[in-house]
Structures are given as C-alpha cells and as structure tokens.
Amino acid sequence: MEEIKLLILRVTDACNLYCSYCYARGGESKKNMSWEVAKQAVDYVAARASSFKIQFSGGEPLLNFSLIKKIISYVREQGLKATFQLQTNGTLLTPGLVRELKRLGLSLGVSLDGMPEVNDSLRPFVGGRGSTLATIQGLRNLAAEGIKVGLTVVLTRRSTEELPRLVELCAYLGNIYGLSLDLVRPLGRAQDNEILPPDEELLRQKLRATLRRAQEISSLGGPVIRFREVERIKYLLTHGYRRLYYCYGTTGQSLAILPDGSVYPCASLSELPDFYLGNIMDPHFSLLQAVKGKPWWQRKVENMEGCRDCPDKLLCGGGCLARAYAYTGRVDRPYRGDCVLRKVFIEWALLSAQR
C-alpha cells in the first residue's frame, strides 16, 4: 500500500511576477485549480497516509486564496492529520492577509534572491518593475505579527555573487529562521533566457563566505540564520541515520497536482512528459502503479553513477532529480553543482559538530 507523505497543489498558474527562470512559466497561463480537483487529490492522499503535508504552490498561490481556505477547512472538518505550507513571492502579504494566514496556521516560505539590484532583475513584476521592496514589506508585515518564515533563494550566477549580503538582510529583518538554497534548473523560462548557474568555484567560495557571515552575525548577538540542508545533515549525524534517497519524489511518496489534475512526482518536474503519471480525476489512477518501472523510481544513492564511491553519499542522498534530468538528461547520476553544494554543507556541519 502507498504511504504518501507530501501533496503539492499548484492551485494556480497565474502570477503577478514574471521571474526570468520560472520552471512553471508562472503568469503565462491564468488557469486556477478547481475545488473538484483539489478535493479529489486530498481524498486520494488521505486514504493512503497516516499524516501528510499539503504544500500550496503556483504561480502565486495567494491569487487563488479562496481555494486554499476551502481546502484547509475541509481537511480540518474531516479530522485529517495534515500540516500546511505555502510558498509565496511575498508581494501580496498585506497586514490583513497576514493576520488571516496566521489564523489558518499556515507555515510560510518566501522567495527572495538578493538585494534589489539582483532580485529586481530576476524577479520583476509583470511589466518589468522591480518586486524586491514589495517582498521586503511583506516580510515586515509578517514580522509585525510575530511570524517567522523560511527564505528560498534560487542560486543563479548573479544571486550567488551577492549571497553574503542577503544573509545580512535576513538578520536585519529578524524573522527569517532559515535559508533554503535552490540551484537554478534550466527548465521553463530559465532555459529560454539562458539563466546560468554559478560555476563550481564561485559556488564553493560564496557559500563558505555566506556560512561564515551568518556565524559572525550570530556571534555578535544577532539572530541565528540556519540553512536547511546543514540542519538536515546535522540531524543525520546526530542520530546516525542514512539518507538513501534524496526526496519523496523518488520514492513514490509525493504527488504534485497541476490545476487540470495532471500528476507528477515533483513540482519541478511538472509538464515534462517523462515524468507524467496520469490525472488525479481518473477513477482508476494509482500512484503505486504509475511509478512502477520508471527509471527514477526508488533511485537510491548507492546505485547512482558518480555517487556510489563518494564518502559523503549517505549524508547527501544523490542530489535533486529535477536538476540531474535538466542538466544531464539522465536520472542515474547527479548534477555536479549539487555535489559541490552538499559537500560544502557537509564540511560545515562536521566543523560545527567539533565546536
């Protein structure tokens, strides 16, 4: 029997930003998910999970906020054991909306790639105006309600250059509990616009500088800025666990549902034919049957080319499936940038354990 852990609902394709690297091409379509599709997805997962997370994505998911509220209400009425997370660009976070999000108990991730000179060029509003100040105001509105958030940063060549400065901004804002660093994938508009990732040396140099800067700020009495992958590695080291798989997408434990009901293992693999699993509205849909025989299903780090002889493989899990496919066209070996990113994180986690 399936044991699903994560349900990603792309509740809308509409977006008020026009990010230059958006894999989902947010804003090019205005299609919203219907209640029928959302309910079918929730019911399917609820029948196959003891507890699970629902992540609302887009586009900009707050543009279909009425559906999000209806889903949360339904889940609670049914007594389901589910938590809720929403990934937003932050520009729509007015004081009133923030209070409503707080009442709903949503955990929030906000996307921001750097200071205005970087973020405005990568993440403009539709029409070209910079979005950074609007996102920062949204973060300040969250802080006013005592809401802490995680910040998601897409690492392009340009945003990586300025990463240490972004940590300083996080410290100034005061309500950023952690950073999630996501190397750009050459999919969607990133491929169209030839948005480049950092080269290995730049990534290594700037990531180490960023980790040091976060530590310096904390040692001087500032807030602690955590890095999601470092914390995960510390947890594995402390508990003696092994990471055989990178994410639920490779184990058949997650569903990403598009507005029309199309199912993929991961939001980042949406609309790629090799990863299409069916439609949630099909009465005969079975995730377990859909993933069987797929070359990426149960992609274990110990069997991956370039991973099996790596001493850090069981702290890494093999890297992102979507990035591997986007950069190499294969699923059985990692993207080299992922290796660099995780080796720096592992190095830092091991140093932290010695302090």
Side-chain angles (χ1 to χ4, degrees):
M1 177 179 170
E2 299 137 295
E3 176 64 23
I4 300 172
K5 302 289 188 182
L6 175 64
L7 172 62
I8 304 163
L9 297 176
R10 195 160 108 188
V11 294
T12 184
D13 288 337
C15 193
N16 61 331
L17 299 190
Y18 199 80
C19 298
S20 60
Y21 53 70
C22 183
Y23 69 84
R25 298 184 180 276
E28 294 179 24
S29 163
K30 308 297 181 186
K31 189 175 180 68
N32 285 336
M33 180 177 285
S34 68
W35 165 242
E36 291 73 23
V37 168
K39 180 179 182 299
Q40 179 69 15
V42 170
D43 288 346
Y44 182 89
V45 173
R48 296 160 177 82
S50 53
S51 63
F52 60 102
K53 178 194 285 187
I54 298 177
Q55 182 181 89
F56 300 109
S57 72
E60 170 48 54
L62 290 175
L63 292 174
N64 197 6
F65 189 42
S66 59
L67 179 64
I68 291 171
K69 290 189 287 185
K70 192 169 184 178
I71 293 167
I72 293 173
S73 177
Y74 176 73
V75 166
R76 289 177 175 160
E77 286 169 2
Q78 297 298 308
L80 305 178
K81 291 184 178 179
T83 57
F84 306 98
Q85 196 267 343
L86 183 145
Q87 187 68 32
T88 175
N89 61 43
T91 62
L92 302 176
L93 294 171
T94 63
L97 181 56
V98 165
R99 287 191 290 272
E100 193 162 8
L101 291 170
K102 185 176 183 180
R103 179 183 63 78
L104 289 169
L106 276 160
S107 63
L108 296 176
V110 176
S111 297
L112 183 69
D113 290 347
M115 305 299 279
E117 60 269 27
V118 173
N119 192 72
D120 283 350
S121 66
L122 293 169
R123 303 178 57 80
F125 282 109
V126 174
R129 180 170 60 92
S131 66
T132 308
L133 295 183
T135 298
I136 290 173
Q137 185 57 56
L139 289 165
R140 288 169 65 91
N141 291 338
L142 290 166
E145 289 293 326
I147 299 174
K148 290 185 175 292
V149 300
L151 211 63
T152 297
V153 185
V154 173
L155 294 179
T156 63
R157 185 171 295 178
R158 192 158 183 213
S159 62
T160 302
E161 284 274 8
E162 298 296 326
L163 196 56
R165 290 182 65 204
L166 183 59
V167 167
E168 295 170 0
L169 175 60
C170 291
Y172 168 76
L173 290 168
N175 66 324
I176 310 299
Y177 67 79
L179 288 177
S180 177
L181 306 182
D182 191 18
L183 283 159
V184 68
R185 302 172 181 88
L187 299 169
R189 284 202 292 267
Q191 190 173 35
D192 297 344
N193 297 323
E194 297 183 348
I195 302 297
L196 298 173
D199 62 54
E200 292 182 18
E201 188 50 42
L202 177 66
L203 178 60
R204 195 177 288 112
Q205 174 191 344
K206 291 297 180 178
L207 187 53
R208 286 171 176 161
T210 300
L211 291 164
R212 287 195 300 269
R213 187 64 183 130
Q215 184 184 54
E216 289 167 1
I217 290 169
S218 174
S219 68
L220 292 171
V224 175
I225 306 296
R226 295 179 173 85
F227 295 79
R228 185 181 66 177
E229 277 296 312
V230 173
E231 296 305 309
R232 180 177 290 181
I233 293 162
K234 286 180 179 178
Y235 183 83
L236 292 171
L237 289 167
T238 300
H239 293 82
Y241 293 154
R242 302 186 303 160
R243 191 176 179 183
L244 298 175
Y245 306 96
Y246 182 74
C247 67
Y248 291 140
T250 58
T251 60
Q253 292 178 292
S254 70
L255 286 84
I257 313 294
L258 273 55
D260 66 357
S262 296
V263 181
Y264 294 85
C266 165
S268 298
L269 295 165
S270 298
E271 300 178 73
L272 294 175
D274 287 348
F275 298 91
Y276 177 71
L277 298 177
N279 194 290
I280 198 67
M281 299 304 288
D282 179 351
H284 303 294
F285 174 77
S286 166
L287 178 61
L288 193 59
Q289 292 302 314
V291 297
K292 278 185 178 177
K294 298 290 186 182
W296 46 265
W297 183 51
Q298 296 187 334
R299 168 188 183 256
K300 191 179 291 188
V301 66
E302 291 174 316
N303 300 328
M304 289 175 61
E305 184 179 324
C307 293
R308 62 176 68 97
D309 297 323
C310 176
D312 298 321
K313 61 181 180 288
L314 297 179
L315 293 173
C316 168
C320 172
L321 175 63
R323 264 191 298 276
Y325 182 82
Y327 281 103
T328 72
R330 294 175 55 173
V331 297
D332 61 340
R333 64 182 180 195
Y335 165 53
R336 177 65 189 164
D338 264 341
C339 300
V340 173
L341 190 72
R342 268 146 196 89
K343 282 186 178 295
V344 173
F345 283 146
I346 291 167
E347 170 191 277
W348 188 261
L350 290 170
L351 284 172
S352 299
Q354 295 169 12
R355 293 189 187 105

